[in-house]
Amino acid sequence: MPEPIFDISDEVRAALAAGAPVVALESTIISHGLPRPDNLRVAREIEQAVRDHGAVPATIGMVEGRLRVGLDDAALTRLATSDDVHKLSIRDLAVATAKGADGATTVAGTGAVAAAAGIAVFATGGLGGVHREANHTFDESADLSTLASTPIVVVCAGVKSILDVGATLERLETLGVGVVGYGTERFAGFFVTDGGHDLDWRLDTPEEVAAAWHAQRRLGVSRAALVVSNPLPEAEQLDRELHDKVLAEGLAIVERDQVTGKDVTPVLLDHFHRATDGASLATNVRVILANAALAARIAVAAASERT
Ligand code: PSU
Ligand code: MN
């Protein structure tokens, strides 16, 4: 047998072997999505939120060319504080491995590795998707195509509101990726509660999500992800007017500075965090923690249904 391409921590390995609940977590949020020094604190809080709800966290990232499933505190610190951390989408994993690089995995990178490691549930903030200028830039996140072929439950607050949300939902439909609203039929809007679109399906409990996931696995007709859209409560969302104003500024900056490719998302998020005096950061953190908690509850429900 070829050697596995990733190292699974002892704790995660033991949990998987026992059929205990595990939640995969991405690391690009930490390295590229949140400003320092909050990012390291938040990385630890996300893991704690998973533990508080009964599951084992498995943050995924790359240290010196080794993909790791379950990061210790030294690795987490390194990805949060080093200036030399690559943003790793799925296409970057092999080259970064060969180069011995440090890297943080995106939704695409994390989901693919997590599914290969046998993890059923993954929590993130907001998915990548179709960018607003995609009709001429072709900028569409590899998160979408990866979700089409990666069997995992992804808990998110919809897609980042910097994107073309309607177009992203259309692409998810085309790609055969299931999308369910958690406790609502409206698609979540990341920084804001309502992303402006209806969904076909609503599920109200972790047990219902687990049942839908097991049905998908048993039916055996799809290898796609199931996206669980978990909106922030209205009282916790970013002020809508502030959101719309800062977004318009951010998009103008991207255009003016001709930001392209994988830099677009970090530049827009960074503009949000600075222009809202930290309000978007606080919102982003609430989003991620809420998703980590729900993902853990789904993992617990999925693990107990299996036995
Ligand atoms: N969600 C967040 N913050 C982030 C991201 C998502 O709350 O930083 C990251 C994820 O890793 C996602 C990536 O996969 O942004 C999408 O980047 P791109 O648009 O370049 O594919
Ligand atoms: Mn892109």
Side-chain angles (χ1 to χ4, degrees):
M1 268 239 311
E3 209 191 317
I5 53 142
F6 38 78
D7 299 327
I8 303 181
S9 73
D10 291 343
E11 186 190 19
V12 172
R13 183 181 296 282
L16 289 172
V22 176
V23 171
L25 299 166
E26 66 153 307
S27 44
T28 294
I29 285 184
I30 302 164
S31 61
H32 292 74
L34 298 169
R36 297 177 201 170
D38 305 85
N39 60 345
L40 179 57
R41 173 181 57 80
V42 175
R44 293 178 178 138
E45 286 176 11
I46 303 169
E47 295 203 342
Q48 192 57 45
V50 171
R51 291 189 194 283
D52 289 347
H53 292 83
V56 171
T59 306
I60 293 177
M62 183 179 285
V63 177
E64 292 183 326
R66 287 297 293 185
L67 262 176
R68 294 211 205 159
V69 178
L71 298 180
D72 57 23
D73 205 62
L76 214 53
T77 304
R78 182 169 169 142
L79 295 187
T81 57
S82 160
D83 288 329
D84 216 13
V85 177
H86 296 265
K87 175 175 165 182
L88 304 180
S89 186
I90 190 147
R91 68 173 184 163
D92 305 303
L93 295 175
V95 182
T97 298
K99 297 271 279 182
D102 283 355
T105 46
T106 65
V107 168
T110 308
V113 174
I119 298 174
V121 185
F122 167 26
T124 182
L127 299 179
V130 181
H131 283 261
R132 287 169 189 243
E133 306 297 323
N135 60 345
H136 61 90
T137 63
F138 278 66
D139 189 355
E140 174 182 315
S141 178
D143 289 358
L144 297 184
S145 47
T146 303
L147 292 175
S149 57
T150 304
I152 197 161
V153 176
V154 183
V155 181
C156 61
V159 300
K160 278 168 295 219
S161 48
I162 59 178
L163 301 168
D164 184 333
V165 179
T168 304
L169 281 170
E170 292 292 348
R171 291 291 291 142
L172 287 168
E173 180 185 3
T174 305
L175 292 165
V177 178
V179 183
V180 300
Y182 189 76
T184 171
E185 267 152 28
R186 297 287 285 175
F187 191 49
F190 190 55
F191 286 137
V192 292
T193 302
D194 189 336
H197 297 265
D198 283 326
L199 296 172
D200 292 336
W201 297 102
R202 160 186 180 154
L203 299 174
D204 288 298
T205 63
E207 290 72 24
E208 282 185 0
V209 177
W213 184 242
H214 284 306
Q216 172 156 334
R217 301 304 285 152
R218 275 197 312 273
L219 286 167
V221 292
S222 168
R223 287 192 49 81
L226 177 65
V227 171
V228 177
S229 161
N230 183 34
L232 268 185
E234 264 174 34
E236 294 183 22
Q237 69 180 339
L238 191 62
D239 180 78
R240 264 223 98 108
E241 261 175 53
L242 178 65
H243 173 272
D244 294 350
K245 175 174 135 313
V246 171
L247 175 58
E249 287 164 13
L251 293 169
I253 291 171
V254 164
E255 169 113 27
R256 183 196 69 200
D257 296 348
Q258 298 185 354
V259 181
T260 56
K262 70 208 284 184
D263 295 332
V264 172
T265 297
V267 164
L268 278 172
L269 289 176
D270 180 60
H271 174 69
F272 255 98
H273 297 333
R274 282 183 294 108
T276 63
D277 264 335
S280 70
L281 172 61
T283 311
N284 204 341
V285 172
R286 285 196 295 274
V287 163
I288 300 166
L289 293 178
N291 293 344
L294 178 58
R297 294 170 60 211
I298 292 169
V300 168
S304 62
E305 191 176 297
R306 205 182 303 133
T307 50

